[in-house]
Amino acid sequence: MAAFESQHSVLSRLHEALKVPGNDRCADCAAKNPDWASTNLGVFICINCSGIHRKLGTHISQVKSLKLDDRSWSSQMVENLTKIGNDLANQLWAKHVPICYKRPREDERPDSTLREQWIRAKYERKEFLSESCPSYLHDKKVGMLYKKGKGRNEWKPRWFVLNVQDGTISYYKSRSSEQRYSFITARAGKNSTVGALVRE
């Protein structure tokens, strides 16, 4: 039988795990000083992202507060957080995030669709585990969007073309125009994305 570990010892190991580089920011939005955790996923998260994790269900993410649940932490829960942690978890769950995928930031609204869909894509739909792109990112995506002119306080409709295969975004004055006014090229490396932009 395993030796009993006091709650004081468990909490002490928990707070040591929180000090590990990478664990000092939310695993999903990079907010500073996360005070919640997903014990089965082994990640520290902020209060805003914890709400989305709860919505996923306990079969995907089991959420606990570092402050409110200080009497119900088990050795196994802390062991998961110690062995995995945010950096290692994101190397798995966010290993193959497409270059065009927007991630939530620290100042994102708690109830934003972006925050929720990012978390669902990572842990529920598991979209970034392999190099194969999600179905909605194949081939080209086109559409009319409004763009603010450089040095001018006015918005004008522009025809945008996202080519997923070669990693480029272009826009034109109209759908039928052949003159390209902006070209973005990006390539995702192992830990970073490099892009070059030519503006209108």
Side-chain angles (χ1 to χ4, degrees):
M1 180 180 293
F4 172 77
E5 183 177 11
S6 69
Q7 190 66 192
H8 176 77
S9 175
V10 170
L11 292 177
S12 178
R13 289 200 296 120
L14 174 64
H15 287 95
E16 284 302 311
L18 191 58
K19 297 177 183 177
V20 173
N23 292 345
D24 57 341
R25 286 182 173 270
C26 175
D28 295 322
C29 74
K32 296 178 181 178
N33 304 316
D35 51 7
W36 288 74
S38 173
T39 58
N40 61 312
L41 295 175
V43 295
F44 292 94
I45 53 179
C46 68
I47 187 171
N48 293 331
C49 289
S50 73
I52 309 299
H53 276 254
R54 285 190 182 279
K55 291 169 68 173
L56 299 179
T58 55
H59 62 294
I60 296 177
S61 184
Q62 298 164 17
V63 182
K64 291 183 72 67
S65 169
L66 275 62
K67 296 179 179 179
L68 303 178
D69 300 321
D70 60 353
R71 295 185 179 182
S72 58
W73 284 86
S74 69
S75 296
Q76 185 59 55
M77 292 174 183
V78 176
E79 191 72 15
N80 286 345
L81 290 161
T82 301
K83 287 185 175 180
I84 303 173
N86 291 4
D87 285 351
L88 184 60
N90 277 324
Q91 288 176 29
L92 170 68
W93 297 104
K95 185 176 183 179
H96 299 288
V97 180
I99 57 175
C100 59
Y101 204 105
K102 185 175 182 181
R103 309 180 189 212
R105 298 179 305 182
E106 179 179 356
D107 58 356
E108 203 74 41
R109 290 195 339 270
D111 60 344
S112 76
T113 300
L114 176 61
R115 185 191 299 273
E116 179 166 351
Q117 289 307 311
W118 166 248
I119 292 173
R120 288 189 181 279
K122 281 177 72 175
Y123 308 112
E124 185 178 57
R125 299 194 295 271
K126 302 177 182 179
E127 292 183 5
F128 313 130
L129 292 180
S130 67
E131 292 186 40
S132 59
C133 291
S135 60
Y136 56 81
L137 287 177
H138 288 306
D139 303 320
K140 291 184 179 180
K141 301 298 178 184
V142 298
M144 192 69 75
L145 298 171
Y146 277 84
K147 177 188 177 297
K148 188 176 182 181
K150 185 179 180 181
R152 302 185 300 275
N153 191 25
E154 57 182 332
W155 294 82
K156 292 186 176 181
R158 293 291 183 261
W159 183 252
F160 279 79
V161 178
L162 166 63
N163 190 321
V164 178
Q165 290 185 337
D166 61 13
T168 61
I169 303 174
S170 307
Y171 80 83
Y172 306 80
K173 281 194 172 182
S174 68
R175 185 171 184 172
S176 60
S177 174
E178 295 183 359
Q179 183 178 3
R180 183 169 58 195
Y181 281 84
S182 183
F183 178 68
I184 303 172
T185 179
R187 284 289 178 268
K190 185 175 181 181
N191 298 312
S192 65
T193 299
V194 179
L197 170 63
V198 179
R199 295 187 179 276
E200 177 181 9

